[in-house]
Amino acid sequence: MLMKGDNMIKEYTQLDKIEGPLIILSGVENVSYDEIVEIRTKSGVKHGKVVQLYKDKAIVQVFEPTSGLSVKDVSVKFTGNPLTISLSKDILGRVFNGIGEPIDGGGNVFGGVKRDVNGRPMNPVAREYPRNFIQTGISAIDCLTTLIRGQKLPVFSGNGLPHNELAAQIVKQAKISDEENGEFAIVFAAMGLKHDDAQFFLKSFEESGVLQRVVMFLNLADDPVVERIITPRCALTAAEYLAFEENMHILVIMTDMTSYCEALREISSAKEEVPGRKGYPGYLYSDLASLYERAGMMKTSKGSITQIPILTMPNDDITNPIPDLTGYITEGQIVLSRDIYQRNVYPPINILPSLSRLAKDGIGEGYTREDHPGLANQIFAAYSKVQEVKALSQVIGEDELSDIDKKYLQFGKAFEYEFLNQSFDENRSMEETLDLGWKVLSILPESELDRIDSKLIEKYYRRG
Amino acid sequence: MITVEEKLKLFTKLVYDKIEKENQTEIDKYNSEYGNIIDEKKKEFEKQAEKMDSEKMKEIDKKKNQIISRAKVEEQKLLLQKKKEIFDEAVEEIKNYSKEFTNSEDYKELFLKSLKESMEDLKESKNISFYVIENDRDKFKKTIAEMYPDTNFKIDVDDNLIGGFTVQDEDNNIKIDMSLMSKIESSKEVIGEKLYSMLH
C-alpha cells in the first residue's frame, strides 16, 4: 500500500458533490481529519482541508471559492499534512493572506520551522501568571483598563465606531519597558477587512515606522469565508513561534472577530449542523476558547502572547452570543460607546462597563507608579457619580444642583474632553496619563477623594 | 512778614507734593498690577513657546521616523524581491536541467522504476491512460505494451510535465503523478531552504 510522504501520491479525479464551500468525494484511502487537500482545476490550484470522514467518504472544505468547479475535470490530492506555515524571525515586516501565503511580493519564507496552525494546547501547569504591563499610549486604556502581558483583553465595538483607528493606534504606540522593547512585536490578524481599511492599516504602519516589527495576516472582505477561519490560527501560530521559541513579547490584534464568527456560522450551516443561539454553531464557545486560550506566558520561555481581539456587536447588543461568549473567556473588556463618540470624543471608551481583570497585578509601585491603583479607583467612582448627577440634572435642571454636584459635572466634562479625548497621533506616556488623571480629579474637592491614600493625595493633589 | 508770593510758593509746593505723592501711589499701583500681568503674560508665552517647541520637535521626530521607516520598508522590499528573483531563476534552471536530463540513460532507468512502482498500485485496473512528453511517447510506448500486455492503455502527450508521466485509472478515477514537474514543485521548499541558507 502506498503511503503519503513517499514519492507517489494518489490523486482522485472525480467528486461526488459540490455544496457551497464543501466538496464530497468517495473511495478515498488513508485520509485523516484536518489534512490539507490540493484541488487542481483547469484554472489553477485551490486548497482545502478535510472536515469530515465517514467510511470511504471525505468532506473537504475549500479555502477558495468553488464557483466554476466541476465534479469532473479536477484532481484532488491529499497531502498527508495539516495546514502548516513556515516561520522564522524573517516573518517580521511581512504581509500574508488569510492562510499564511505571502502577498507582499517578497516570496515564500524559507529556512525556518514549519508549524501546524491548529497549535498545541498550552499545558496549564506550565503557565506563568501574567505580570507587568504593556503601554498603549492611550490614557483610557493605560490608566483605567491597563493591558497586562499575557492577558486577553477584547475591544467591544459597534459598526461605524472607530475600532480600526484604535487598533492602528495601539499597534503604532504599544511598547513595553525600555530595556525589553527590542524584543517586542505585533501580530495583526484582519478578518473580513475592506480593501480601503487594509490600505489604511498598511499605510499607517509604514508611516509610523512600525511595519518592521509587525506581521500582518490579511483576509479581505472578498476573500473566501473558509479562509477567515484559518486567519486567526495562522496569526496565533506565528505569535507562538515568536513568543515561545524566539522569546519575544507579542501583542496579537485580531479584528473583526464578528466576521470570524459569521464565517463559522456560514460553514456550520453548509455542513448542515444543528444551529445554536442566533444560528451560530453550538461549539462557538469552545471554538472561540481555542483561539483566546492561546494567549499567556509560559514558565519555560521569557516571551508572552497578549491578545486584543476586536469585535463589533451587532446592533450594539452586548448580549449577542459573540461578545457574551467572548466575555466568559477573556480577562475583561474595553467597551466603545456610540454616545461618547457622538460627543466627538476619540477614543470613545466607556470606562464604566470596561474592565481589565489583571490590571491589579501589573500596576502600582514597581510597575507603573505608586498612585496608579488608587487614582484609577477614584476616577471610576467619580465618573460613576457623574452619571447619577447627570440623571438628576435632567430632572431638576443644572442650576438646582448642589455646588458639589456641579463640581462632579465639571469633572465629567474635563474627564471626557481632556483625559479620554486624545488625537490619533497622540502618544501619552504613563507619567503624562497619571498626571492628567490627577489634573481632572483635582477639580473635585479633596474631601471627595475617599479611595486614595491620604499620603498620595498630599503628594499629587493639585491645590489652587 | 510773609509775602503773598511766598505764601503762593508754599501752597504750590504743598499741592505739588500732594499730587506727586498721589501720582506715585497710582504709578506704584499700576506698576504692580500691570507688572504682574506682564510677568504672567511673559510666563504664559514662554510656556506656549515651550509647548510649540516640543510639539514641533514631536512633529519633526514623526516625520524623521516616517522617512526612515519608508526607506527601511523599501530596502526590505528590494531585498525580498531580489531573493525571489534568484529563487525563481534557480527553479527555472532546475527545469532546464531536468529537460536535458530526459535525454540521459539515468532518466530511462528512473522512468521504468517509477512505472513499475505506480503500476504496482494500479494492477487491478484494466483501462489506463498515460500522459508523457512528446519525446517519450515513441521511446516508451513499446516498452509499456510489453511490460503490461493485459492492460488497455492509451498514451497522450503533455509537454508541461517536463519528463516522467502521469497515469490515470479510468475506471476508479484515480491518478498518480510521477512527472518531473510535480517532483520539482514538491521540492520547492527544499530548494528554497538550501538557496536561502547560502544567501544568508
Side-chain angles (χ1 to χ4, degrees):
Chain A
M1 178 54 63
L2 290 167
M3 297 300 288
K4 276 169 270 185
D6 288 358
N7 287 333
M8 192 159 49
I9 294 180
K10 266 188 196 174
E11 292 178 22
Y12 299 87
T13 55
Q14 194 169 342
L15 308 176
D16 291 357
K17 203 173 168 188
I18 303 168
E19 201 167 293
L22 305 177
I23 58 170
I24 299 147
L25 62 166
S26 50
V28 296
E29 291 172 343
N30 291 327
V31 174
S32 54
Y33 185 76
D34 254 357
E35 186 174 337
I36 287 297
V37 177
E38 272 179 27
I39 305 142
R40 285 179 198 280
T41 65
K42 280 180 181 163
S43 57
V45 182
K46 295 175 193 284
H47 292 88
K49 73 167 182 175
V50 179
V51 289
Q52 224 165 310
L53 287 167
Y54 179 71
K55 292 184 179 167
D56 69 336
K57 277 191 195 300
I59 301 182
V60 176
Q61 203 169 61
V62 187
F63 296 149
E64 289 89 7
T66 52
S67 56
L69 199 69
S70 150
V71 288
K72 293 197 180 238
D73 291 335
V74 288
S75 134
V76 180
K77 183 163 95 177
F78 293 87
T79 60
N81 298 308
L83 182 62
T84 54
I85 52 172
S86 290
L87 298 164
S88 75
K89 246 187 160 177
D90 292 342
I91 58 170
L92 288 169
R94 300 291 307 270
V95 185
F96 300 89
N97 69 6
I99 49 171
E101 294 166 345
I103 50 169
D104 53 2
N108 289 334
V109 176
F110 291 118
V113 293
K114 280 198 164 273
R115 289 282 177 269
D116 178 358
V117 296
N118 296 306
R120 282 174 301 173
M122 221 185 263
N123 181 352
V125 183
R127 276 184 188 264
E128 179 112 67
Y129 194 81
R131 292 269 173 196
N132 220 335
F133 71 106
I134 293 176
Q135 186 181 307
T136 63
I138 296 164
S139 294
I141 298 177
D142 288 347
C143 179
L144 303 168
T145 50
T146 317
L147 183 62
I148 305 298
R149 287 181 211 171
Q151 187 179 13
K152 35 197 179 289
L153 187 63
V155 175
F156 290 0
S157 181
N159 285 322
L161 291 180
H163 48 268
N164 282 343
E165 286 80 354
L166 184 66
Q169 191 169 4
I170 293 174
V171 172
K172 281 191 328 183
Q173 300 178 174
K175 61 180 261 190
I176 52 173
S177 54
D178 287 337
E179 66 267 24
E180 292 171 299
N181 215 22
E183 293 303 311
F184 180 62
I186 289 155
V187 174
F188 184 82
M191 290 150 278
L193 202 67
K194 289 187 288 180
H195 283 259
D196 53 341
D197 289 337
Q199 278 310 313
F200 160 75
F201 279 117
L202 274 167
K203 195 166 167 263
S204 57
F205 296 166
E206 252 182 48
E207 284 187 346
S208 55
V210 294
L211 194 61
Q212 305 295 102
R213 57 165 198 181
V214 181
V215 190
M216 291 180 85
F217 290 86
L218 295 180
N219 165 268
L220 299 171
D222 54 354
D223 286 338
V225 285
V226 184
E227 213 177 281
R228 211 157 290 164
I229 294 172
I230 308 289
T231 311
R233 291 184 165 82
C234 288
L236 287 164
T237 307
E240 279 167 357
Y241 168 77
L242 293 171
F244 303 133
E245 293 183 45
E246 298 289 348
N247 292 318
M248 295 179 80
H249 294 284
I250 305 296
L251 175 62
V252 183
I253 296 185
M254 301 190 288
T255 180
D256 173 351
M257 288 306 290
T258 305
S259 285
Y260 169 83
C261 294
E262 278 167 1
L264 206 63
R265 175 164 67 178
E266 202 175 319
I267 302 294
S268 162
S269 150
K271 283 198 273 181
E272 295 176 4
E273 289 169 346
V274 180
R277 277 166 70 193
K278 294 214 185 249
Y280 292 103
Y283 52 79
L284 182 64
Y285 176 82
S286 49
D287 192 280
L288 285 174
S290 73
L291 298 177
Y292 296 147
E293 291 296 350
R294 287 171 81 172
M297 293 172 83
M298 299 236 273
K299 283 176 186 156
T300 50
S301 164
K302 281 188 202 160
S304 64
I305 297 178
T306 311
Q307 275 188 26
I308 302 187
I310 296 173
L311 47 99
T312 47
M313 300 177 283
N315 298 322
D316 293 351
D317 175 16
I318 204 163
T319 64
N320 180 278
I322 306 166
D324 188 26
L325 298 178
T326 298
Y328 282 123
I329 307 161
T330 54
E331 290 130 353
Q333 66 277 331
I334 296 167
V335 182
L336 302 192
S337 152
R338 204 170 292 278
D339 281 349
I340 297 177
Y341 186 54
Q342 279 162 353
R343 288 202 286 275
N344 215 12
V345 173
Y346 169 86
I349 295 173
N350 184 0
I351 61 153
L352 294 176
S354 301
L355 164 77
S356 167
R357 286 199 182 100
L358 302 183
K360 61 182 175 21
D361 299 311
I363 61 171
E365 209 167 353
Y367 297 112
T368 53
R369 206 171 74 181
E370 52 181 350
D371 55 321
H372 189 166
L375 177 74
N377 277 342
Q378 189 63 63
I379 290 178
F380 270 118
Y383 193 63
S384 167
K385 171 90 175 161
V386 170
Q387 308 310 310
E388 286 171 29
V389 175
K390 268 187 188 169
L392 183 65
S393 77
Q394 278 170 355
V395 179
I396 62 170
E398 217 171 290
D399 291 342
E400 299 301 317
L401 292 173
S402 66
D403 287 345
I404 196 79
D405 283 351
K406 283 179 184 163
K407 286 274 179 202
Y408 270 104
L409 277 190
Q410 201 187 334
F411 161 78
K413 274 188 190 142
F415 173 76
E416 285 180 6
Y417 290 101
E418 289 179 40
F419 186 86
L420 273 190
N421 198 23
Q422 65 183 90
S423 73
F424 177 65
D425 289 320
E426 194 176 351
N427 185 3
R428 290 184 191 153
S429 68
M430 191 54 99
E431 197 80 4
E432 279 175 304
T433 288
L434 296 176
D435 288 345
L436 196 57
W438 276 106
K439 189 186 163 198
V440 292
L441 207 54
S442 299
I443 290 171
L444 298 174
E446 225 174 306
S447 56
E448 289 295 307
L449 309 186
D450 50 5
R451 288 171 189 251
I452 311 178
D453 192 281
S454 52
K455 281 179 198 156
L456 295 174
I457 297 179
E458 190 60 38
K459 192 172 172 186
Y460 293 104
Y461 185 79
R462 296 182 184 186
R463 292 170 186 86
Chain B
M1 200 177 134
I2 301 167
T3 63
V4 176
E5 284 80 15
E6 278 172 338
K7 274 187 180 175
L8 276 173
K9 204 177 167 186
L10 186 66
F11 281 126
T12 312
K13 191 176 176 284
L14 283 173
V15 171
Y16 276 159
D17 282 351
K18 194 187 166 198
I19 289 171
E20 200 180 328
K21 204 176 168 188
E22 277 174 6
N23 280 352
Q24 194 55 49
T25 322
E26 280 297 301
I27 289 166
D28 287 347
K29 197 179 147 197
Y30 279 112
N31 270 348
S32 76
E33 264 181 29
Y34 289 105
N36 280 345
I37 290 172
I38 289 167
D39 281 347
E40 272 171 26
K41 282 283 168 202
K42 204 176 160 189
K43 275 180 194 164
E44 200 183 307
F45 287 139
E46 274 172 3
K47 239 183 186 175
Q48 272 184 11
E50 268 174 31
K51 201 178 162 194
M52 280 165 73
D53 200 33
S54 80
E55 272 172 11
K56 282 283 159 212
M57 282 308 287
K58 273 187 186 171
E59 194 67 24
I60 290 167
D61 270 348
K62 205 177 119 190
K63 283 270 172 224
K64 185 184 85 184
N65 286 340
Q66 279 179 10
I67 294 166
I68 294 172
S69 167
R70 274 201 206 116
K72 277 185 181 168
V73 168
E74 206 51 43
E75 181 198 352
Q76 197 190 11
K77 268 186 189 164
L78 285 174
L79 192 68
L80 288 170
Q81 273 169 8
K82 203 73 215 160
K83 277 184 175 177
K84 191 172 178 283
E85 266 175 44
I86 294 171
F87 173 74
D88 290 342
E89 265 176 41
V91 172
E92 211 47 49
E93 283 297 316
I94 291 170
K95 282 181 185 169
N96 291 338
Y97 174 78
S98 302
K99 276 179 195 162
E100 282 173 28
F101 175 68
T102 56
N103 298 319
S104 70
E105 270 306 303
D106 286 347
Y107 170 71
K108 198 175 171 186
E109 217 173 280
L110 178 77
F111 189 100
L112 293 174
K113 189 174 164 245
S114 304
L115 183 68
K116 276 180 201 157
E117 274 178 21
S118 53
M119 288 306 285
E120 182 64 27
D121 207 46
L122 300 176
K123 58 187 168 198
E124 307 293 319
S125 314
K126 294 290 167 219
N127 293 307
I128 284 185
S129 297
F130 282 96
Y131 288 89
V132 293
I133 56 169
E134 180 76 56
N135 272 354
D136 289 348
R137 185 165 52 179
D138 300 329
K139 210 191 297 180
F140 292 107
K141 195 172 180 180
K142 202 174 158 197
T143 320
I144 295 171
E146 282 168 7
M147 282 170 78
Y148 305 101
D150 302 331
T151 313
N152 293 326
F153 68 89
K154 62 172 185 174
I155 299 184
D156 283 321
V157 170
D158 182 355
D159 278 332
N160 291 326
L161 301 179
I162 298 179
F165 60 90
T166 63
V167 55
Q168 190 165 332
D169 174 353
E170 298 291 350
D171 302 325
N172 295 312
N173 300 313
I174 290 169
K175 186 168 120 183
I176 294 172
D177 191 345
M178 300 297 272
S179 67
L180 292 184
M181 184 64 185
S182 80
K183 283 191 187 357
I184 294 171
E185 283 297 322
S186 57
S187 306
K188 270 187 174 173
E189 194 73 30
V190 182
I191 300 166
E193 267 172 33
K194 290 210 166 142
L195 191 70
Y196 278 43
S197 68
M198 282 191 278
L199 289 174
H200 270 294

